[in-house]
Amino acid sequence: MVDVLALVEARLRTALGEPDARAAVTFLGTDRIEVLRFTDGDIVRYATLGMSAQPMADPTAALADPVKGPRAELVLSVRAGLADTDKVLRPLAVLAASPQVEGVVVAPGASLDLGEPLWPGAAFGSVLVAEPGGLIEDLELDAPMDPVRFLPLLPMTANEAAWKRVRGAAELEGRWLARGTDLRDPLRPSVPLD
C-alpha cells in the first residue's frame, strides 16, 4: 500500500520549500495530525499533514470505504509578525481531525467553526474552505484512490461567518474581492456587509 502521507509531505516540500517548524497533535480515537510551518518572505503558511491518510466518508454511509473517497489537507496563509499566529497549530489540527471525529466531508465552500479564536486575540473563530489548485496542485494517487486536494482556509469573523450562512460562500468571496480585503492580514477587521 502506498504511503500517502510521505507523498503529501513531498508535494508540500516541492510547492512550499522546507518546513521551518512542525508540531504533532493526537486526539483520542484519531490518527496523528501534524502541522508544518513554511515561511516565504513575509508570508507564513501552515499546512496539515495527516488528514489525507484516510478518505473522508459520507456520514450517511453505512460503512466507510477504506480506499475510495475524497482526501484533503488544509493550508492557511497569513502575514508574518503581526500576530501570534503560531498558536494556530492546535486549532488547525482540530479542523483536520474533524472528518475522523465528526464524520464530515471537508470541501470547498464549507465553513469550519472552532468556537474559539484561531490564535490569541484573533477576530476569527471560523474559516471558509476555498477552492484548491492555486498554490499546491492536487496529488494524484493510484486508482481507485481519489487525489489529495490542498484546501486553502480563509479566516472569517463571526459577522462574515453569519453572512456566509445566509448568502453563501460565493457572495462572501465576492464581497472580499470587491472591497480588496487582504485575507492574509491576521489583524484585519470584518469586511463591511451592508
Side-chain angles (χ1 to χ4, degrees), residues 101-174:
V101 175
E102 300 172 25
V104 298
V105 175
V106 178
S111 298
L112 301 175
D113 189 9
L114 279 164
E116 62 183 49
L118 281 171
W119 53 82
F124 318 107
S126 60
V127 293
L128 174 64
V129 181
E131 289 290 335
L135 183 62
I136 308 168
E137 290 182 30
D138 292 353
L139 173 64
E140 296 295 330
L141 300 173
D142 293 337
M145 293 189 286
D146 288 19
V148 177
R149 302 174 84 197
F150 297 89
L151 302 172
L153 300 180
L154 308 176
M156 293 189 293
T157 64
N159 285 345
E160 291 168 342
W163 204 75
K164 183 258 175 198
R165 281 191 293 275
V166 174
R167 302 281 186 97
E171 288 274 336
L172 178 58
E173 289 180 282

Side-chain angles (χ1 to χ4, degrees), residues 41-99:
D42 71 335
I43 301 295
V44 178
R45 291 189 172 88
Y46 301 93
T48 63
L49 178 63
M51 183 177 169
S52 62
Q54 304 294 327
M56 292 181 273
D58 181 344
T60 62
L63 290 173
D65 190 314
V67 177
K68 293 181 189 174
R71 294 175 190 259
E73 295 291 351
L74 308 175
V75 181
L76 174 69
S77 300
V78 293
R79 296 207 178 281
L82 301 176
D84 191 8
T85 57
D86 278 351
K87 296 285 197 295
V88 78
L89 301 177
R90 184 170 174 73
L92 270 183
V94 168
L95 295 177
S98 62

Side-chain angles (χ1 to χ4, degrees), residues 8-67:
V8 168
E9 184 166 356
R11 175 59 54 94
L12 288 170
R13 287 173 186 268
T14 299
L16 304 177
E18 287 299 310
D20 57 12
R22 66 192 307 147
V25 180
T26 305
F27 303 100
L28 186 64
T30 68
D31 295 331
R32 170 185 165 117
I33 303 284
E34 289 188 80
V35 180
L36 284 61
R37 183 182 71 193
F38 301 86
T39 305
D40 181 16
D42 71 335
I43 301 295
V44 178
R45 291 189 172 88
Y46 301 93
T48 63
L49 178 63
M51 183 177 169
S52 62
Q54 304 294 327
M56 292 181 273
D58 181 344
T60 62
L63 290 173
D65 190 314
V67 177

